[in-house]
Amino acid sequence: MTWMFDRARVCLLAGVLGAAGHVTPTPLAGQVWTDEERGLLLEYLHASAGDFLASIEDLSDDQWRFQEAEDRWSIGEVAEHLALTEELISMLLTAQLPMSGPAEVSGDGRAETDLMIREGLKDRSQRFQAPEIAQPQGRWTSKAELVQAFSDARERVAEFIRTTELDLRARTAPHPVFGPIDGHQWVLLLTSHVWRHLDQIAEVKAADGYPGT
């Protein structure tokens, strides 16, 4: 995936996509992506979103803004990073991926990559630098607005997974760390990315000086 999207374009495209109508999926001849995999992604999308929203529920302004150190993100900044990433990947899935040419599908290494993305990404001993466009810069003025943006983007992804006729195993887009990964793996990455940062939120809450209220 290239990250050369300005935020105005992300918001505009997201608004257009949000108005899209419902499409009933039909099986494609020789399709590799299965109904079981579709259901698994929907389960992960629902669970990870619920876990994230529960982790930030009822936080005070002081807790939302608390930083353990100047070079550490607050919970609010972690949440903004997650919301920005949701918008970017929802756009990739619903706009860029369908326009990409079908990729040659091979089972070799697919399960290994799935596992690496699903489980390995949660390991916070491996640190990655977020691309500039996904770094928090105070885009939303309130927690409520941020939560709404995250939820809207997540629902666009879920609706795409529920209704798409694309074989997500047959189309790929490049990731800056993992290289070319298929559409199914992009959604695995989206859910694992949330769970990874839930550990970061827990670390902030456990830090010395974190406000009790």
Side-chain angles (χ1 to χ4, degrees):
M1 174 183 180
T2 59
W3 295 95
M4 303 303 293
F5 299 119
D6 61 80
R7 289 176 176 171
R9 182 182 176 191
V10 171
C11 292
L12 176 61
L13 186 53
V16 172
L17 292 169
H22 183 84
V23 178
T24 301
T26 55
L28 303 178
Q31 186 160 345
V32 174
W33 191 53
T34 66
D35 286 340
E36 181 180 0
E37 289 178 315
R38 188 194 300 266
L40 185 67
L41 291 184
L42 290 171
E43 177 186 337
Y44 287 172
L45 286 167
H46 176 75
S48 58
D51 289 346
F52 166 59
L53 295 176
S55 77
I56 62 173
E57 188 176 13
D58 298 328
L59 293 182
S60 69
D61 288 344
D62 287 342
Q63 291 170 331
W64 184 250
R65 298 190 179 100
F66 170 80
Q67 290 178 271
E68 183 180 3
E70 289 186 3
D71 61 344
R72 300 290 184 90
W73 284 354
S74 66
I75 293 176
E77 289 171 323
V78 174
E80 182 179 356
H81 168 67
L82 291 176
L84 290 168
T85 304
E86 290 286 325
E87 287 192 339
L88 289 165
I89 295 185
S90 73
M91 183 169 67
L92 177 141
L93 291 167
T94 55
Q96 182 176 336
L97 198 70
M99 293 187 295
S100 67
E104 182 178 348
V105 178
S106 171
D108 295 342
R110 182 184 296 136
E112 182 179 351
T113 301
D114 285 359
L115 181 62
M116 176 180 64
I117 292 172
R118 190 176 66 246
E119 301 298 336
L121 188 63
K122 299 177 188 178
D123 179 7
R124 282 184 43 76
S125 67
Q126 300 293 321
R127 301 300 177 99
F128 304 100
Q129 179 67 38
E132 183 177 356
I133 196 171
Q135 292 183 12
Q137 297 180 7
R139 173 176 165 184
W140 290 283
T141 58
S142 71
K143 185 176 81 169
E145 289 178 352
L146 186 154
V147 166
Q148 189 63 56
F150 172 89
S151 299
D152 288 348
R154 176 55 63 96
E155 178 53 31
R156 283 194 295 273
V157 174
E159 181 66 6
F160 174 75
I161 296 303
R162 283 192 292 266
T163 62
T164 187
E165 299 178 34
L166 291 175
D167 183 349
L168 294 191
R169 289 299 196 181
R171 294 175 185 266
T172 64
H175 184 271
V177 174
F178 298 108
I181 57 176
D182 64 40
H184 180 90
Q185 290 163 348
W186 270 104
V187 183
L188 284 179
L189 185 147
L190 190 64
T191 59
S192 294
H193 181 251
V194 167
W195 277 315
R196 173 186 179 86
H197 284 288
L198 288 185
D199 286 343
Q200 185 176 7
I201 289 173
E203 290 169 8
V204 176
K205 291 179 178 180
D208 291 341
Y210 179 73
T213 57

